[in-house]
Amino acid sequence: MVSVEAEGLDVAAVLAHYEAHGYARLGRVLDDAGVESLRERADDLMLGRVVYPGMFFQPDATTGRYEDAPLGLGWQGPSLEYRKLEKLEKDPRFLAWLENPLFERITRARIPGDIVLYRAILFHKGPAGGSNLPFHQDGGKLWGLTREPDLQIWTALDDAPEGGGCLEVIPGSHRAGLVTALGGVIPPDRVEAADAEGHVVPLPVRAGEALLVHNHVWHRSGRGRPGQRRRAFSACYMSADTTCVRKKKAPRVFPPVFRHPMRGG
């Protein structure tokens, strides 16, 4: 699945850019066959042709507004208008991609010791355009962890052009840490105070390209173009020393992905 173009990737240079700016381009890392395979499986899951117990589904807002996306409904029957699918590590195709040798090289260079998966998730903007996602950070009390993760790898399964659902970031914003202890959506007054609109950088990608995204970098995405779907797969990796601290439900257990070579397994 890893493309020929990715074999010579300079991981050190990529991570240096990532450290400085909070994001980095990997280029085209997923080959055509891999793109088609993951697109097919994403649709299999949304249409109920493949089912894994315990997967998370979030329908999209019919208004195109992130604020209106329903919560807690889960699977609502076959549809190509789901906004998010989570726990994709249950599927062998997505698991094989998030465990590919290139991603292992990158995560091992960034995270010491054993590495686990916080989440494996499909972000989808359907044929109607999907919904916008405002500036936010992926961390804080909402994530319920003893340690903040700081590495996500985002793979485009469809083209995500400028003005058509691509990620947009504020370079360097990760260095200031969380805006609020809760994390998640950044309050509008803080967005305005930071003149985010004057510093935003769009990151258009073609299908098969991937990005590193720091959990704390301010990032957002607009609606897709009507009639053009935008599927993207994101895996968040973190140290196996990280544990879940939530109290209302049983603490989460995070699946291992890469064990330290000296420890075997």
Side-chain angles (χ1 to χ4, degrees):
M1 297 174 79
V2 177
S3 69
V4 174
E5 297 95 316
E7 293 179 359
L9 185 70
D10 186 342
V11 169
V14 166
L15 288 176
H17 188 281
Y18 180 71
E19 184 71 30
H21 301 284
Y23 75 93
R25 290 183 175 274
L26 300 184
R28 187 175 183 273
V29 297
L30 181 60
D31 63 22
D32 289 343
V35 168
E36 288 303 321
S37 176
L38 295 186
R39 282 176 177 170
E40 178 184 61
R41 183 48 48 89
D43 288 359
D44 286 341
L45 294 167
M46 283 189 273
L47 295 174
R49 295 191 294 243
V50 174
V51 176
Y52 299 104
M55 276 195 63
F56 170 90
F57 292 81
Q58 183 187 23
D60 214 335
T62 57
T63 61
R65 287 167 39 89
Y66 167 80
E67 301 89 332
D68 297 336
L71 299 174
L73 295 183
W75 170 256
Q76 296 295 295
S79 173
L80 293 179
E81 295 293 347
Y82 284 104
R83 177 179 171 268
K84 288 199 302 187
L85 282 67
E86 198 165 346
K87 298 187 180 297
L88 290 178
E89 70 275 10
K90 291 175 174 286
D91 180 79
R93 294 189 193 181
F94 282 103
L95 179 63
W97 179 239
L98 69 89
E99 290 186 331
N100 76 72
L102 174 62
F103 289 5
E104 182 173 9
R105 284 175 56 206
I106 292 168
T107 55
R108 286 199 187 284
R110 180 78 185 180
I111 303 171
D114 292 345
I115 298 168
V116 297
L117 185 73
Y118 176 76
R119 69 180 185 185
I121 186 167
L122 183 84
F123 293 109
H124 179 239
K125 298 180 190 293
S131 58
N132 71 303
L133 179 59
F135 278 121
H136 65 285
Q137 296 173 299
D138 294 323
K141 292 182 179 178
L142 282 174
W143 281 43
L145 300 171
T146 55
R147 179 187 302 178
E148 290 287 304
D150 69 1
L151 180 62
Q152 303 178 90
I153 307 182
W154 190 98
T155 306
L157 303 185
D158 297 294
D159 294 350
E162 188 170 349
C166 74
L167 282 183
E168 299 178 351
V169 299
I170 305 297
S173 54
H174 64 299
R175 295 196 295 270
L178 289 169
V179 174
T180 67
L182 188 63
V185 175
I186 297 168
D189 63 324
R190 299 296 295 273
V191 172
E192 183 176 0
D195 185 25
E197 294 297 337
H199 295 87
V200 65
V201 172
L203 300 176
V205 291
R206 301 295 300 270
E209 294 184 14
L211 304 166
L212 301 187
V213 183
H214 194 290
N215 288 57
H216 289 175
V217 78
W218 295 21
H219 57 292
R220 71 179 181 185
S221 64
R223 300 191 70 194
R225 294 176 180 173
Q228 298 181 11
R229 299 175 64 194
R230 198 224 71 178
R231 288 160 288 191
F233 173 64
S234 178
C236 178
Y237 303 88
M238 62 187 187
S239 168
D241 294 338
T242 309
T243 57
C244 178
V245 296
R246 71 183 184 185
K247 303 296 184 183
K248 292 184 179 180
K249 299 179 180 179
R252 289 179 58 184
V253 176
F254 302 107
V257 284
F258 305 125
R259 293 190 179 277
H260 193 279
M262 298 297 293
R263 301 185 189 185

